[in-house]
Amino acid sequence: TDIKDLITDNIYFYKNRAEEILKVIEKPMTFEDILKSLSRSMRICITTPFKYIAVERMLRCYIEYLEETGKITLVLEEDFLKYTKTSH
């Protein structure tokens, strides 16, 4: 059962992290806008291109998860792709 507990804890962690990211999306935002807002709210210091790419990759997975679960949608606004919360 130890592995089951670990799996449950990991799922809980990732879902909570996705919810934190969702809270940052207050209006239609580009990926870059979300990244900037998230780095400020979570106090992530991005000081090198390597760290930027690492954070970008992590965030991309969460954005895809939020989109697949219907919590956000991708829209074209003012010639930019933006993510916005889905209204239920």
Side-chain angles (χ1 to χ4, degrees), residues 62-88:
Y62 284 105
I63 292 293
E64 288 174 7
Y65 168 78
L66 290 169
E67 194 173 9
E68 287 173 10
T69 57
K71 296 191 179 201
I72 61 173
T73 55
L74 188 59
V75 296
L76 185 63
E77 185 178 283
E78 299 170 6
D79 301 327
F80 287 95
L81 288 175
K82 295 185 179 184
Y83 294 92
T84 186
K85 286 183 185 175
T86 306
S87 55
H88 283 94

Side-chain angles (χ1 to χ4, degrees), residues 11-24:
I11 290 170
Y12 180 77
F13 171 81
Y14 286 111
K15 284 186 176 183
N16 278 340
R17 182 60 49 96
E19 289 299 319
E20 289 178 43
I21 293 167
L22 186 60
K23 288 177 187 174
V24 167

Side-chain angles (χ1 to χ4, degrees), residues 30-75:
T30 65
F31 184 86
E32 293 283 328
D33 291 335
I34 297 168
L35 180 63
K36 187 189 322 180
S37 186
L38 186 66
S39 65
R40 288 181 182 155
S41 70
M42 295 183 78
R43 293 185 175 99
I44 300 170
C45 228
I46 300 174
T47 55
T48 66
F50 176 78
K51 190 156 185 185
Y52 179 92
I53 290 168
V55 173
E56 178 187 37
R57 285 181 181 162
M58 176 273 309
L59 179 58
R60 179 93 41 213
C61 293
Y62 284 105
I63 292 293
E64 288 174 7
Y65 168 78
L66 290 169
E67 194 173 9
E68 287 173 10
T69 57
K71 296 191 179 201
I72 61 173
T73 55
L74 188 59
V75 296

